Amino acid sequence: MTEVEWANLKAHELRRLADEDAVVLLPVGAIEQHGPHLPVQVDTRLAGEVSVRAARKASATRPALTLPVVWHGLSEHHMVFGGTVTLEFDAFHQVLRGIARSVARHGFSKILIVNGHGGNHIACQTIAQELHLEFGAMVVAATYWHEAAKRFAPLLEDQDNVQHACEAETSMMLALVPHLVDDSDLAGARGGEEGWFLSKGESAFRWHNLAQITHNGTIGDPAKATAEKGEKLLEAAGDALSDLICDPETWAEARDLRGPATGGVPFRRG
Ligand SMILES: [Zn+2]
């Protein structure tokens, strides 16, 4: 099997992969509470796992490799339930910036941020934009369950996609680290049926902590979680991300459709 983990490769092998224009995956997770039944590593473990699977699948078509998973995330909204470690946005940005800058300096020009935590989603998009404008590398950000949404829906019974410590996340953790899952009362670990609190808003956003929408830190019902379902979800996420890695359009230079006499400034900041 092709080695796709940056940390397992030697420097000369990484130089060769840069010459081959490999896509570098940068998985990002979190350490945060995941209800009464799951360990706090969930988002970190799953982001790392789907990234390794995606890089392996893609490497049959184009070179790809994955950095070690960044476990630091933006989880202020989970702090109230304990067990959570969070960064502020500026520090989070600087962690990803330092990693991306190192990768770009070694000659890699394509970076895929694979996010595994809802609280990082918008931040990763913003950071992808900043890193591209600053370093010139093509930086794409994808939250794995959004990327795999069409594949996930038919695999799940009680929900359409990942929620939190739910049927999906519990299934994937049962597939990977069953000894870390307390499955003695998964039905009793259900939470979040209190519903979303901005019920009048169609697109309204305000910061909230999780205690405003769940009594136990779970959003969803893990009762129907199984290891078999989890393995299918992990494979589906790997397939979806692999498709993205292998899609030429995703990594193509931006087109410039400006007609004569319509030019302003170059696409990148000078
Ligand atoms: Zn999670």
Side-chain angles (χ1 to χ4, degrees):
M1 193 182 298
T2 311
E3 180 57 71
V4 297
E5 296 189 54
W6 182 294
N8 292 344
L9 290 159
K10 299 168 184 69
H12 66 87
E13 294 169 327
L14 288 158
R15 288 196 293 273
R16 194 193 69 236
L17 282 162
D19 290 342
E20 293 173 358
D21 198 23
V23 175
V24 179
L25 279 66
L26 169 48
V28 182
I31 293 292
E32 69 180 23
Q33 72 78 27
H34 269 75
H37 58 301
L38 293 179
V40 296
Q41 66 166 255
V42 172
D43 296 350
T44 294
R45 183 70 182 85
L46 298 182
E49 179 70 23
V50 299
S51 294
V52 169
R53 291 186 188 221
R56 280 192 189 135
K57 288 171 184 289
S59 4
T61 305
R62 71 165 304 160
L65 71 161
T66 180
L67 288 153
V69 59
V70 173
W71 63 264
H72 321 68
L74 301 177
S75 299
E76 179 60 40
H77 53 309
H78 289 266
M79 290 288 282
V80 288
F81 282 104
T84 302
V85 178
T86 189
L87 293 186
E88 285 74 48
F89 174 79
D90 285 352
F92 182 63
H93 178 198
Q94 291 304 319
V95 169
L96 299 195
R97 179 172 179 265
I99 294 169
R101 181 164 55 178
S102 301
V103 167
R105 286 178 68 195
H106 292 311
F108 293 97
S109 64
K110 297 176 175 64
I111 299 172
L112 174 60
I113 298 173
V114 177
N115 174 43
H117 166 50
N120 297 343
H121 175 65
I122 292 170
C124 283
Q125 291 182 348
T126 303
I127 292 168
Q129 169 181 293
E130 289 300 306
L131 298 181
H132 168 64
L133 292 171
E134 183 173 1
F135 303 128
M138 192 60 68
V139 185
V140 175
T143 294
Y144 75 81
W145 64 85
H146 292 161
E147 204 55 41
K150 291 198 179 97
R151 290 171 161 94
F152 273 18
L155 298 174
L156 295 165
E157 295 172 73
D158 278 341
Q159 56 193 72
D160 292 334
N161 207 333
V162 168
Q163 295 180 323
H164 186 71
C166 54
E167 178 189 357
E169 286 190 327
T170 305
S171 293
M172 290 187 275
M173 292 299 279
L174 281 170
L176 293 174
V177 282
H179 60 289
L180 297 182
V181 179
D182 179 358
D183 61 359
S184 59
D185 183 18
L186 288 179
R190 175 191 180 119
E193 54 271 11
E194 297 82 357
W196 188 244
F197 73 106
L198 282 178
S199 56
K200 288 277 186 273
E202 294 292 333
S203 66
F205 173 82
R206 55 169 272 204
W207 185 82
H208 60 280
N209 72 55
L210 222 64
Q212 286 177 270
I213 51 178
T214 170
H215 70 283
N216 64 352
T218 300
I219 302 172
D221 184 356
K224 294 209 172 86
T226 67
E228 185 189 23
K229 197 181 286 180
E231 177 59 26
K232 287 181 183 163
L233 291 165
L234 291 164
E235 279 295 286
D239 286 337
L241 291 166
S242 173
D243 283 354
L244 195 61
I245 295 166
C246 297
D247 173 42
E249 182 67 23
T250 299
W251 304 100
E253 287 298 318
R255 291 186 297 171
D256 188 348
L257 298 176
R258 289 176 292 188
T262 58
V265 298
F267 279 14
R268 278 183 58 207
R269 290 196 291 249

